[in-house]
Amino acid sequence: MWDSGGVLLHTFCVLAITVPIFTLDNGLMRTPPMGWLAWERYRCDIDCQNDPKNCISEALFRDMADRLSEDGWRELGYVYINIDDCWASMDRDANGRLQADPKRFPSGIPHLAQYIHDRGLKLGIYGDMGTHTCGGYPGTTLDDITTDAQTFADWEVDMLKFDGCYSNAKEQEKGYPAMSKALNATGRPIAYSCSWPAYQGGLPPKVNYTQLGEICNLWRNYGDIQDSWSSVLTIADWFFNNQDILQPAAGPGRWNDPDMLVVGDFGLSMEQSRSQMALWAIMAAPLFMSNDLRTISSGARTILQNRVAIGINQDPMGVQGRRLLVEKSGIEVFWRPLSDKASALVFFSRRTDMPYRYLTSLAKLHYTHGTYQIYDVFAERELGPLKDSTDFVVSVNPTGVVMWYISAPADADQNSAHMGEKLRGPALHRKSDGILL
Amino acid sequence: MWDSGGVLLHTFCVLAITVPIFTLDNGLMRTPPMGWLAWERYRCDIDCQNDPKNCISEALFRDMADRLSEDGWRELGYVYINIDDCWASMDRDANGRLQADPKRFPSGIPHLAQYIHDRGLKLGIYGDMGTHTCGGYPGTTLDDITTDAQTFADWEVDMLKFDGCYSNAKEQEKGYPAMSKALNATGRPIAYSCSWPAYQGGLPPKVNYTQLGEICNLWRNYGDIQDSWSSVLTIADWFFNNQDILQPAAGPGRWNDPDMLVVGDFGLSMEQSRSQMALWAIMAAPLFMSNDLRTISSGARTILQNRVAIGINQDPMGVQGRRLLVEKSGIEVFWRPLSDKASALVFFSRRTDMPYRYLTSLAKLHYTHGTYQIYDVFAERELGPLKDSTDFVVSVNPTGVVMWYISAPADADQNSAHMGEKLRGPALHRKSDGILL
């Protein structure tokens, strides 16, 4: 009887927790999704005759699937290969179903899904709540939602990005929840990325983040990223300026999406690339790269494959971080709490002159539990123990970051002390120099 | 008698040519100066206790002299090592002469000059027409000009950058020409960089470029560069928007100075670094790097040491180039005529999305002499012969350039055909693939 009662109680608790998120009960994306998304780098390039290596075609996605599976990306968590706009034929088929452009996807989406699944990866596809996609391809009107959701499920697609061009606010208010239900109704777990809030200006009262968390796994709050530092900075500023609204909206299964990583493209310096990686990790942002994995530089790859930065982004507690401080010097400090009483700090410089020597202490950054172990994420080295009351100087390069993984204080329980080692993996060794740069 | 008459005629011609530039008859900088200048990267960092490797001190300039002479820079033309602001003691000496800060320059400037000359390099120093330098150190008032010019000559300095903080327009109008005369009067060839026009807004009628060409070897027309792509772009735009005024002002011994190269610092991507190098070469700009040559990345070094880009910058004809076209697509085309009927073309993209395939022909870019040999400067390869009437596509990366060195047409005289080989040196071989990217 006691056992039976225990089971009943457990069942009750699960129900109590899951009821509010019933409409998207797909259990997906308990940590932010990672992978590759075509848009920023390849846009609507459909000129396969003159630009065969870069046009939106099955060959491009197969190439990227090969790279994700063969170059160490998959093992780090980069498992989604996501198609964006301009994949479809201009006409639906005789049964009113979407179909891929036959010249650029001659084998069809189901075959591509198989190719991707065979490599231990997942396939994302793109649709649009409206009469047309942003690129002018067939959209999904309210009447098409059930059909299109079933088509994606039949094709064994694993994720849908649902854009919002060519629809009005009323249609979106019906369409985004309807697609969520329709995806669930297929019985196939399909992660659901909603562009809805970006079309509503990103903020309450127009945006209802409680509802979004119930119907979408992630959502685009703001405009598209471009391959430039000013774009990265504009986006990061918007998200941190509105963190009091956005930060509580995120959690396991429901993420704010500041858009793709442009690391490895043309517009960011190495410092700026580390900054995007660090700030996206603090934000618990989806990590969708949009770049050419066939030709990416070793510098960019090293940043994108940084195990501790990824570990911070993927922390299982799933609490989005915050900006702690904006200094007149142009230094900003960001913080994210992590599992096992660990945390991450990012020191960022907006300056465009020279490295800035920033003087602070952990106590000034609200650390009050004694002595911490510090690991410099991009320098890839231990910095030794640091007392909360000790003043230190950290040198931050222009448009760059210093990112720290901070282990639980020495007086915390035993389990937590191992978290740093878990994130870093076995290849990294502690240095005893104790110098703080 | 005939011989004697010939000599007389020759002398007369030389006089006729030199009279208009009599006040700066130093014969220096027949091609744009190249070297290294402390300001952008090191600013007024005088904190040698906490930042000994980066503070403005004789150690910093010795370090950079070592790097210029040992890492292949000097042989490519980078010979100036230039001190900027914050080198001086706050007080003049008992004789009213400027003196270096004794703690940071314990051996003194003459000793540093010797160290630099011993390595086949030249030393530049910084002064300010006004009561104080921009950083608050002793300036050079009208009364100090003769003394300070003589001090620099006594120290065996090779170049003076003369800034304009803390003086008014009338004082500058007297001071800049007076310093030119005073430097000449010392008998030591000292190149003279005038910040004057930057304080006058850079344009006529306030700026008299004819006069500047007579009294200065180079001049800063515009604001200080910062370590950011937006700064590089703002500066390049200003110079090319005003090219009708600025382009004729430049020539051997008299150069517009859009400020330092920030390649190798923190803010530019590799594409953007190639763009600055290419546009500065088109502009016949002084090539003063401001970076840390001790730690520069191999990517940045490769760009700064590109022999053909340097060759274009250093073309002995000394004609500044121009922007030919601004396309709605965001592509811009730049051109510079070079010695021996050669020329340089730069295709530049302002886009921030993806590589753009730009369709054009040499004829559309005003080439009308038949077939040309094309060399891709940064790809470091021959692209084969190209007829002026042939349409071609050049793929330009976002914020990047494609730079071509274009040899004299096939029907030009024999001598000119060798120019390409001269610039490239013996290590480069022609490829026969003939593909135009």
Side-chain angles (χ1 to χ4, degrees):
Chain A
M1 283 303 281
W2 189 89
D3 270 348
S4 166
V7 168
L8 278 173
L9 183 67
H10 179 71
T11 306
F12 174 79
C13 285
V14 170
L15 280 175
I17 292 166
T18 54
V19 162
I21 57 163
F22 179 76
T23 51
L24 192 74
D25 190 14
N26 61 19
L28 296 171
M29 299 185 170
R30 308 311 292 170
T31 62
M34 297 172 63
W36 183 93
L37 174 55
W39 183 256
E40 193 291 315
R41 176 62 182 78
Y42 299 92
R43 310 278 167 153
C44 196
D45 180 354
I46 57 170
D47 185 4
C48 291
Q49 189 168 356
N50 291 309
D51 201 14
K53 296 291 281 181
N54 300 303
C55 67
I56 301 302
S57 71
E58 60 184 40
L60 179 70
F61 297 97
R62 281 203 304 257
D63 276 0
M64 295 306 158
D66 291 346
R67 296 279 60 77
L68 280 194
S69 64
E70 293 172 25
D71 297 345
W73 300 100
R74 181 186 58 206
E75 291 73 13
L76 289 164
Y78 292 99
V79 296
Y80 283 94
I81 290 271
N82 287 9
I83 301 171
D84 207 275
D85 202 352
C86 309
W87 62 271
S89 167
M90 280 296 182
D91 301 304
R92 289 174 175 263
D93 72 9
N95 299 315
R97 292 162 64 119
L98 291 168
Q99 51 186 349
D101 181 278
K103 282 201 179 153
R104 293 182 284 115
F105 294 83
S107 313
I109 303 294
H111 191 274
L112 180 60
Q114 186 65 49
Y115 187 94
I116 283 169
H117 294 152
D118 287 348
R119 279 151 188 79
L121 304 171
K122 297 170 186 230
L123 174 63
I125 204 164
Y126 168 100
D128 184 281
M129 172 62 232
T131 57
H132 298 83
T133 71
C134 302
Y137 291 80
T140 302
T141 61
L142 292 172
D143 292 342
D144 299 319
I145 283 176
T146 309
T147 303
D148 291 355
Q150 192 58 51
T151 301
F152 299 143
D154 292 347
W155 289 350
E156 305 205 332
V157 160
D158 304 293
M159 176 171 174
L160 170 66
K161 173 178 171 181
F162 204 37
D163 211 340
C165 276
Y166 301 109
S167 58
N168 62 37
K170 279 200 171 170
E171 289 161 342
Q172 291 175 1
E173 199 177 330
K174 285 184 186 163
Y176 278 98
M179 179 57 88
S180 182
K181 279 187 185 156
L183 290 173
N184 261 0
T186 67
R188 180 175 177 85
I190 299 179
Y192 184 36
S193 166
C194 299
S195 300
W196 189 15
Y199 286 88
Q200 299 171 299
L203 297 173
K206 284 198 176 167
V207 176
N208 180 342
Y209 278 109
T210 307
Q211 182 190 13
L212 281 173
E214 291 165 357
I215 66 167
C216 313
N217 293 110
L218 63 161
W219 47 80
R220 286 282 312 283
N221 317 59
Y222 193 65
D224 287 357
I225 200 163
Q226 309 297 330
D227 185 11
S228 75
W229 175 236
S230 68
S231 174
V232 172
L233 208 50
T234 301
I235 289 171
D237 283 344
W238 187 86
F239 277 81
F240 287 109
N241 288 340
N242 294 296
Q243 62 186 0
D244 289 346
I245 291 157
L246 302 176
Q247 190 271 339
R254 47 186 172 89
W255 307 105
N256 294 299
D257 181 3
D259 212 4
M260 293 157 273
L261 293 169
V262 293
V263 176
D265 291 314
F266 308 100
L268 301 193
S269 70
M270 285 296 107
E271 296 294 335
Q272 292 157 1
S273 300
R274 280 185 281 269
S275 295
Q276 193 189 16
M277 190 72 183
L279 295 176
W280 264 234
I282 290 291
M283 285 193 276
L287 299 182
F288 288 113
M289 307 179 281
S290 192
N291 52 21
D292 191 341
L293 297 172
R294 300 165 299 198
T295 59
I296 191 169
S297 74
S298 63
R301 182 164 49 226
T302 298
I303 292 166
L304 291 165
Q305 296 195 343
N306 185 293
R307 293 167 62 92
V308 182
I310 291 171
I312 291 166
N313 175 271
Q314 293 289 301
D315 183 76
M317 197 162 75
V319 174
Q320 182 173 331
R322 299 175 63 89
R323 185 172 61 196
L324 288 185
L325 277 174
V326 175
E327 302 277 11
K328 278 184 188 158
S329 60
I331 300 295
E332 300 183 0
V333 185
F334 302 85
W335 167 81
R336 181 176 170 187
L338 303 173
S339 304
D340 299 310
K341 301 183 182 173
S343 60
L345 276 182
V346 168
F347 304 95
F348 168 59
S349 171
R350 304 182 78 93
R351 300 178 71 95
T352 56
D353 55 352
M354 62 182 190
Y356 186 81
R357 293 168 51 83
Y358 179 60
L359 174 69
T360 188
S361 70
L362 288 179
K364 288 183 189 130
L365 305 172
H366 315 308
Y367 285 76
T368 55
H369 285 83
T371 299
Y372 297 80
Q373 291 290 333
I374 312 290
Y375 179 80
D376 185 319
V377 174
F378 291 111
E380 298 189 7
R381 59 170 189 158
E382 297 273 2
L383 296 178
L386 181 61
K387 266 187 76 174
D388 52 12
S389 58
T390 304
D391 279 344
F392 62 84
V393 168
V394 60
S395 178
V396 192
N397 290 338
T399 66
V401 289
V402 170
M403 187 178 205
W404 284 0
Y405 174 81
I406 302 183
S407 302
D411 60 339
D413 61 275
Q414 283 283 33
N415 282 338
S416 60
H418 296 282
M419 191 55 200
E421 297 302 321
K422 254 168 73 185
L423 276 176
R424 285 189 292 285
L428 298 163
H429 302 289
R430 189 182 181 286
K431 279 190 180 175
S432 60
D433 54 26
I435 292 165
L436 296 176
L437 261 190
Chain B
M1 284 300 280
W2 190 89
D3 270 349
S4 167
V7 168
L8 278 174
L9 182 67
H10 179 73
T11 307
F12 174 79
C13 284
V14 170
L15 280 175
I17 292 165
T18 54
V19 162
I21 57 165
F22 178 76
T23 50
L24 192 74
D25 189 15
N26 61 19
L28 296 171
M29 298 185 172
R30 307 311 291 172
T31 63
M34 298 172 63
W36 184 94
L37 174 56
W39 183 255
E40 194 291 315
R41 175 63 182 78
Y42 299 93
R43 310 277 168 154
C44 196
D45 179 355
I46 58 171
D47 185 3
C48 291
Q49 189 168 357
N50 291 309
D51 200 14
K53 294 291 282 182
N54 299 303
C55 67
I56 301 302
S57 72
E58 60 185 38
L60 179 69
F61 297 97
R62 282 202 304 256
D63 276 0
M64 295 305 157
D66 291 347
R67 298 279 58 77
L68 280 194
S69 64
E70 293 172 25
D71 297 346
W73 300 100
R74 180 185 58 205
E75 291 73 13
L76 290 164
Y78 292 99
V79 296
Y80 283 94
I81 289 272
N82 286 9
I83 301 170
D84 207 275
D85 202 351
C86 309
W87 63 269
S89 166
M90 280 295 182
D91 301 304
R92 289 174 175 263
D93 72 10
N95 298 314
R97 293 163 62 120
L98 291 167
Q99 51 187 349
D101 181 277
K103 283 204 178 149
R104 293 182 285 114
F105 293 83
S107 312
I109 303 293
H111 191 273
L112 181 59
Q114 186 65 49
Y115 187 93
I116 283 168
H117 294 153
D118 286 349
R119 279 150 189 79
L121 303 171
K122 297 171 186 228
L123 174 63
I125 204 163
Y126 169 99
D128 184 281
M129 172 62 232
T131 56
H132 298 83
T133 72
C134 302
Y137 291 80
T140 302
T141 61
L142 293 172
D143 292 341
D144 299 320
I145 283 176
T146 309
T147 302
D148 291 354
Q150 192 58 51
T151 300
F152 299 142
D154 293 345
W155 289 351
E156 304 205 333
V157 160
D158 304 294
M159 177 172 172
L160 171 66
K161 172 178 170 181
F162 204 38
D163 211 340
C165 277
Y166 302 110
S167 58
N168 61 35
K170 279 198 173 171
E171 289 161 341
Q172 290 175 0
E173 199 177 331
K174 285 184 188 164
Y176 279 97
M179 179 57 88
S180 183
K181 279 187 187 156
L183 290 172
N184 262 0
T186 67
R188 180 175 176 83
I190 299 178
Y192 183 36
S193 167
C194 299
S195 300
W196 190 15
Y199 286 88
Q200 299 171 299
L203 297 174
K206 283 198 177 168
V207 177
N208 179 342
Y209 278 108
T210 306
Q211 182 190 13
L212 281 172
E214 291 165 358
I215 67 167
C216 313
N217 294 110
L218 63 161
W219 47 80
R220 286 282 311 284
N221 318 58
Y222 194 64
D224 286 358
I225 200 164
Q226 309 297 330
D227 185 11
S228 75
W229 176 236
S230 68
S231 173
V232 172
L233 208 50
T234 300
I235 289 171
D237 283 344
W238 187 86
F239 277 81
F240 287 109
N241 287 341
N242 293 296
Q243 63 186 0
D244 289 346
I245 291 157
L246 302 176
Q247 190 271 341
R254 49 188 171 88
W255 308 104
N256 294 300
D257 181 4
D259 213 3
M260 293 157 274
L261 293 169
V262 292
V263 177
D265 291 313
F266 307 100
L268 301 193
S269 70
M270 285 296 108
E271 295 295 335
Q272 292 157 2
S273 299
R274 280 186 281 269
S275 294
Q276 193 189 17
M277 190 71 183
L279 295 177
W280 263 234
I282 290 290
M283 285 193 277
L287 299 181
F288 288 112
M289 307 179 282
S290 191
N291 52 20
D292 191 341
L293 297 173
R294 300 166 298 197
T295 59
I296 190 169
S297 74
S298 63
R301 181 163 49 225
T302 299
I303 293 166
L304 291 165
Q305 295 195 345
N306 185 293
R307 294 168 63 91
V308 182
I310 292 171
I312 291 167
N313 175 272
Q314 294 288 301
D315 183 77
M317 198 162 75
V319 174
Q320 182 172 332
R322 299 176 64 89
R323 186 171 61 197
L324 288 185
L325 277 174
V326 176
E327 303 277 11
K328 278 183 187 157
S329 60
I331 300 296
E332 300 184 359
V333 185
F334 302 85
W335 167 81
R336 181 176 170 189
L338 303 173
S339 305
D340 300 312
K341 300 183 182 171
S343 60
L345 275 182
V346 169
F347 304 95
F348 168 59
S349 172
R350 304 181 79 94
R351 299 177 72 95
T352 55
D353 56 352
M354 61 181 191
Y356 186 82
R357 293 167 53 81
Y358 179 60
L359 174 69
T360 187
S361 69
L362 288 179
K364 287 182 189 131
L365 304 172
H366 316 308
Y367 285 76
T368 55
H369 285 82
T371 300
Y372 297 80
Q373 290 291 332
I374 312 290
Y375 180 81
D376 185 319
V377 174
F378 291 111
E380 297 188 7
R381 61 171 187 156
E382 298 273 2
L383 297 177
L386 181 61
K387 266 187 76 175
D388 52 11
S389 57
T390 304
D391 280 344
F392 61 84
V393 168
V394 60
S395 178
V396 192
N397 290 337
T399 66
V401 289
V402 170
M403 186 177 205
W404 285 359
Y405 174 82
I406 302 183
S407 303
D411 60 336
D413 62 275
Q414 284 283 32
N415 283 338
S416 60
H418 297 281
M419 191 55 199
E421 298 302 321
K422 256 167 71 185
L423 277 176
R424 284 190 292 286
L428 299 163
H429 301 290
R430 189 181 180 286
K431 280 189 181 176
S432 59
D433 54 25
I435 293 164
L436 297 175
L437 262 191

